[in-house]
Amino acid sequence: MSKELFKRIDSVIRNERLYANVDLMREDVMSRFAISRHRLNDLLNQHAGGLSFPQYINDIRVKEAHELITHHPEMLITEIAFEVGFTPPNLRNQFKRHYGMTPTKYRTHLV
């Protein structure tokens, strides 16, 4: 039951691009699925590797940014940041933490 609920939540967040809203709050997800904060935290612990809600959303964002950087060289890094729900400095920090280099440096390695 909990795995199916998590899959539904994850699917909505990804397919409806809720993660792209820079102001997305856990309360938005809680009210959409009529679940408590405790229930959402339990779902993340069980099915998202124990990530907190902000970590889970940032993980989705940084992976989407990686895809855009890789497959859309015409897009500016700033555009990509806003497209996935980050501010440009936040994308830089999260990307570097996740991939070991800044988005700009990563892009230069692709050419």
Side-chain angles (χ1 to χ4, degrees), residues 4-95:
E4 290 78 24
L5 177 57
F6 176 76
K7 283 182 178 180
R8 222 173 58 221
I9 292 169
D10 185 66
S11 177
V12 166
I13 288 171
R14 291 172 191 273
N15 295 335
E16 294 184 19
R17 298 180 34 85
L18 298 182
Y19 65 84
N21 176 357
V22 72
D23 296 320
L24 179 67
M25 306 280 291
R26 81 179 74 232
E27 289 76 10
D28 301 325
V29 174
M30 291 164 37
S31 69
R32 172 111 183 232
F33 290 92
I35 59 174
S36 68
R37 181 184 191 104
H38 179 73
R39 180 75 170 130
L40 179 58
N41 290 341
D42 282 349
L43 290 169
L44 292 169
N45 278 328
Q46 293 172 17
H47 306 290
L51 296 175
S52 68
F53 182 77
Q55 290 169 329
Y56 165 71
I57 295 299
N58 285 340
D59 187 64
I60 294 170
R61 288 173 173 162
V62 78
K63 287 176 181 171
E64 180 64 19
H66 178 269
E67 286 298 308
L68 291 172
I69 291 166
T70 302
H71 300 292
H72 294 279
E74 75 283 0
M75 290 182 76
L76 299 173
I77 299 298
T78 302
E79 291 175 306
I80 291 170
F82 292 123
E83 181 73 19
V84 301
F86 277 135
T87 62
N90 201 355
L91 172 60
R92 185 181 193 285
N93 293 337
Q94 292 292 329
F95 198 93

